[in-house]
Amino acid sequence: MKKSFNMICSNLRARRLQNWKLLFSTLLLGFLFGFTAQAQQQRQTFQNPIFPGFYPDPSICRVGEDYYLIHSSFAYFPGVPIFHSKDLVNWNQIGNILDRPEQLNLDGHGVSRGIFAPTISYKDGTFYMVTTLIDKGGNFVVTATNPAGPWSNPHWIPNVNGIDPSLFHDDDGKSYIIYNSDAPDNKPQYDGHRTLRMFEFDLKTMKTVGPQHLLVNGGVDFSKKPVWIEGPHVYKVNGYYYLMAAEGGTSVHHSEVILRSKSVTGPYVPYEQNPILTQRDLPANRPNPVSATGHADLVQTQKGEWWAVFLATRPYDGAGDHYNTGRETFLAPVAWKDGWPIINPGNELVQYRYSVPNLPAQKKAAFPLTGNFTYREEFKSKTLPMYWLQLRTPRTPWYSLSQPAGKLTLDVRPESFNEKVNVSFIARRQQHVKGSASTVVEFTPQKENEFAGLVAFQNDEHYYTIGKTMKGSEPVVRLFKADNTVLAEKTLTSKENKQPLYLKVTFNGGSYAFYYATQKGKWLLLKDNVDGKYLSTRVAGGFVGVTLGMYATSNGQPSTNKASFDWFDYEGNDAIFEPASAPAQPGK
């Protein structure tokens, strides 16, 4: 009896153990399934803009399963950043196409001049980038067998008179260059009257061939006096040549239109339902508006899907059309209807989220490009990471990452923002409506003309800068604007002058605030509610966005002084984005 009882107890314990194992397995599978489902759910959509901040005029091409995308850079150096992706959503910067002074002369250029609307294409093992250096040289092509570089020196195309060139490679082996040009006989019939023209282009000689062809005069409907037909691209699909371009200018009336022909030289017939993309007819006071959509480029994936990249803006005050982040790059699906491509099908509003392309997912880049994030640059590399920008072409070395090591040290040079030259200024894009930038500087000014600090820069006539200088014989931290108006200042003690100075700017739409600290983390407000609309494109004009960075100058006087920056922090926190998607780097 006792033996039987022990056996029964043993069986009960075994069953109980099995039940616990089964329950644990079920819970584990449920957790894993839920985690996987959650991850899949997170992968089901992507966040627009895919390039927030000053990343305008996107151009894209596919080579096999790889995608390459470039942007305008205007008077910033290096020129034309190039990115790589396999899923169209997550992008890694692999280089800057124009990264040598002999490729890009920006001397004397206004901030919104320089490089206009580059386009990228690929044929038979070679990548081609064609663009316009406005005011100084015109149109040119550079080539590379590796998109990360090096790229060739420019091949100039003097008889292509206009802007926004692109190359189309036909399946019969011929190539063509299409561009925005003057009105017929250079006699515009109204303001903004432009044309689209084309030459055959010899890739071996890098020269045009044969006669020039007039493809579009004015726009899709000349009777309505369409303005600024520009950014043309040609695609061949199912026996038709499609000519796509922007109309209406790059502000709130921006749009994308499409025409087609059975011959590459035309005549091109416009789509009756043009435009195929615009937001101009929507209420200006709609919440979280996406505005000024246009300057698009199309790409077909290896899976057969079509997608469009295009520029747009995010005004923070709706009807006021004020935005400081510049023109940004969005991604949207394309559907074909009755033989015509439609961007953003089924939606009137451009969406901040779409279903992801049917492509293998790619890991996010180490340097975050979209979403909310916090990022610290500690200047520990031997070279500056490629997302950092200078203004105009550098001619002599004026910064160091090794003297001392782990810091960015700027020469305090006579050049200043008052001149159209390369200055001691290293910056990154403001990519969010709401966020902050901060740094710490070691600098002992010797004279009133010497200054080093942090800048929120839109152009030569619209910027704020906070930093250290002298007022008579006293060191001060000072905030001033581009016209040299002093907005606020605080005298530093002799002890504080010998310590590192922490500097910070916060921004929230049209309101900026500037802080300083002489002890880490103990921020003191220097001035609140500084007019941020002064830095907006609507007020400042031009085609760029705000950049935030480190600056040093002796304002026209010789100097041997230097300013060292230990780190640079950037934080973005826009309501349209998910919670912070990237942690702070070590040392934050």
Side-chain angles (χ1 to χ4, degrees):
M1 178 71 70
K2 186 176 181 180
K3 183 177 181 181
S4 299
F5 178 79
N6 289 338
M7 186 177 297
I8 290 172
C9 290
S10 176
N11 289 337
L12 287 173
R13 285 194 296 269
R15 288 180 183 178
R16 191 177 295 128
L17 181 61
Q18 288 178 346
N19 289 338
W20 277 110
K21 287 182 177 179
L22 179 61
L23 178 61
F24 177 77
S25 299
T26 302
L27 290 172
L28 179 61
L29 287 172
F31 171 78
L32 292 175
F33 177 79
F35 180 80
T36 303
Q38 184 180 16
Q40 289 175 343
Q41 179 69 22
Q42 290 175 347
R43 287 196 299 266
Q44 286 179 353
T45 61
F46 68 87
Q47 175 74 61
N48 263 323
I50 56 171
F51 287 87
F54 161 48
Y55 286 106
D57 306 328
S59 174
I60 192 171
C61 77
R62 177 175 70 88
V63 181
E65 297 181 354
D66 297 287
Y67 298 84
Y68 301 94
L69 190 146
I70 61 176
H71 299 96
S72 293
S73 50
F74 298 96
Y76 281 99
F77 186 94
V80 189
I82 180 167
F83 298 85
H84 168 262
S85 177
K86 284 186 174 292
D87 64 5
L88 290 176
V89 173
N90 297 290
W91 294 86
N92 290 279
Q93 187 170 1
I94 58 174
N96 289 285
I97 292 177
L98 305 174
D99 60 358
R100 305 187 304 275
E102 62 267 26
Q103 292 176 300
L104 183 58
N105 179 7
L106 295 168
D107 298 344
H109 278 269
V111 176
S112 285
R113 304 301 286 177
I115 292 295
F116 276 25
T119 59
I120 188 170
S121 62
Y122 174 84
K123 181 177 173 62
D124 298 335
T126 299
F127 290 86
Y128 298 85
M129 190 280 290
V130 57
T131 189
T132 310
L133 179 59
I134 201 74
D135 301 332
K136 191 172 290 187
N139 295 289
F140 65 90
V141 180
V142 292
T143 63
T145 54
N146 181 348
W151 289 73
S152 71
N153 284 341
H155 302 276
W156 297 96
I157 321 168
N159 59 327
V160 172
N161 179 29
I163 62 172
D164 294 10
S166 68
L167 286 173
F168 166 65
H169 308 292
D170 207 347
D171 50 18
D172 63 0
K174 293 183 178 181
S175 295
Y176 300 86
I177 187 166
I178 311 99
Y179 55 99
N180 162 300
S181 192
D182 297 326
D185 301 320
N186 200 21
K187 296 179 179 179
Q189 297 188 30
Y190 54 87
D191 289 342
H193 179 191
R194 302 287 290 176
T195 60
L196 296 182
R197 299 172 185 258
M198 182 177 74
F199 276 108
E200 185 181 339
F201 192 74
D202 188 329
L203 298 180
K204 293 182 180 179
T205 64
M206 293 293 176
K207 294 181 180 180
T208 61
V209 176
Q212 183 188 71
H213 301 276
L214 177 62
L215 304 182
V216 175
N217 180 18
V220 298
D221 187 347
F222 190 81
S223 68
K224 295 181 178 179
K225 297 182 179 181
V227 299
W228 305 115
I229 188 80
E230 58 192 0
H233 297 282
V234 170
Y235 314 91
K236 191 173 185 180
V237 183
N238 296 331
Y240 278 102
Y241 294 90
Y242 289 86
L243 173 58
M244 190 174 75
E247 259 190 21
T250 61
S251 187
V252 293
H253 297 293
H254 208 197
S255 68
E256 197 72 15
V257 297
I258 194 92
L259 309 90
R260 73 181 185 185
S261 173
K262 280 291 187 179
S263 170
V264 69
T265 57
Y268 280 87
V269 178
Y271 178 41
E272 291 182 356
Q273 302 299 318
N274 273 317
I276 60 172
L277 172 68
T278 192
Q279 302 284 275
R280 66 190 177 201
D281 301 318
L282 300 174
N285 60 353
R286 63 193 184 277
N288 298 319
V290 176
S291 185
T293 53
H295 202 104
D297 198 2
L298 303 181
V299 66
Q300 185 181 25
T301 72
Q302 64 270 29
K303 301 293 185 67
E305 291 182 345
W306 284 84
W307 290 83
V309 290
F310 54 93
L311 69 79
T313 62
R314 289 184 290 142
Y316 47 75
D317 62 349
D321 192 41
H322 290 96
Y323 54 91
N324 296 23
T325 48
R327 300 175 302 158
E328 307 174 311
T329 292
F330 283 65
L331 176 71
V334 175
W336 288 80
K337 180 181 179 182
D338 301 326
W340 296 94
I342 310 298
I343 302 172
N344 189 36
N347 293 297
E348 187 176 23
L349 295 168
V350 168
Q351 303 295 297
Y352 281 108
R353 286 196 170 274
Y354 294 98
S355 296
V356 296
N358 181 24
L359 293 169
Q362 177 177 305
K363 291 182 179 180
K364 291 185 177 181
F367 176 73
L369 279 170
T370 190
N372 288 329
F373 58 81
T374 301
Y375 191 83
R376 166 166 286 196
E377 176 62 60
E378 293 189 313
F379 304 115
K380 293 187 180 299
S381 302
K382 293 182 179 180
T383 58
L384 274 176
M386 57 187 70
Y387 69 87
W388 287 102
L389 300 170
Q390 300 180 40
L391 194 58
R392 306 185 185 90
T393 307
R395 299 300 179 187
T396 58
W398 48 263
Y399 72 85
S400 171
L401 295 169
S402 60
Q403 298 177 353
K407 294 184 180 181
L408 172 68
T409 299
L410 306 184
D411 289 348
V412 180
R413 297 189 296 153
E415 291 81 2
S416 71
F417 291 137
N418 296 326
E419 310 162 79
K420 290 181 170 59
V421 295
N422 177 249
V423 297
S424 295
F425 176 50
I426 298 289
R428 59 155 294 155
R429 295 160 175 85
Q430 179 183 326
Q431 294 181 269
H432 296 78
V433 175
K434 182 180 181 181
S436 67
S438 55
T439 188
V440 59
V441 61
E442 295 178 52
F443 171 59
T444 304
Q446 303 299 320
K447 300 178 181 179
E448 286 187 311
N449 59 284
E450 293 185 345
F451 175 90
L454 174 65
V455 184
F457 182 86
Q458 170 65 248
N459 60 36
D460 301 328
E461 298 177 349
H462 295 81
Y463 62 85
Y464 295 115
T465 186
I466 180 174
K468 188 189 285 190
T469 186
M470 297 291 289
K471 183 178 182 180
S473 60
E474 294 184 321
V476 295
V477 56
R478 176 179 290 167
L479 170 68
F480 64 91
K481 60 192 296 189
D483 62 3
N484 289 322
T485 300
V486 176
L487 302 179
E489 67 181 16
K490 180 70 174 178
T491 301
L492 299 172
T493 67
S494 176
K495 180 181 178 181
E496 289 172 334
N497 187 39
K498 297 176 183 178
Q499 297 172 335
L501 179 66
Y502 298 84
L503 302 167
K504 183 177 183 179
V505 54
T506 65
F507 42 88
N508 187 359
S511 179
Y512 284 56
F514 294 85
Y515 300 81
Y516 76 99
T518 55
Q519 299 181 55
K520 184 177 180 180
K522 295 185 177 181
W523 293 108
L524 300 171
L525 178 66
L526 188 60
K527 189 168 181 60
D528 202 0
N529 297 319
V530 178
D531 181 18
K533 292 181 179 179
Y534 167 78
L535 300 178
S536 70
T537 301
R538 174 61 63 184
V539 173
F543 307 119
V544 302
V546 169
T547 55
L548 303 161
M550 297 141 289
Y551 173 56
T553 181
S554 55
N555 288 294
Q557 301 298 318
S559 175
T560 58
N561 210 343
K562 296 179 184 292
S564 291
F565 299 83
D566 191 34
W567 46 259
F568 187 94
D569 281 351
Y570 178 89
E571 181 177 2
N573 189 28
D574 284 355
I576 63 161
F577 293 134
E578 290 182 336
S581 57
Q585 300 303 295
K588 174 64 178 173

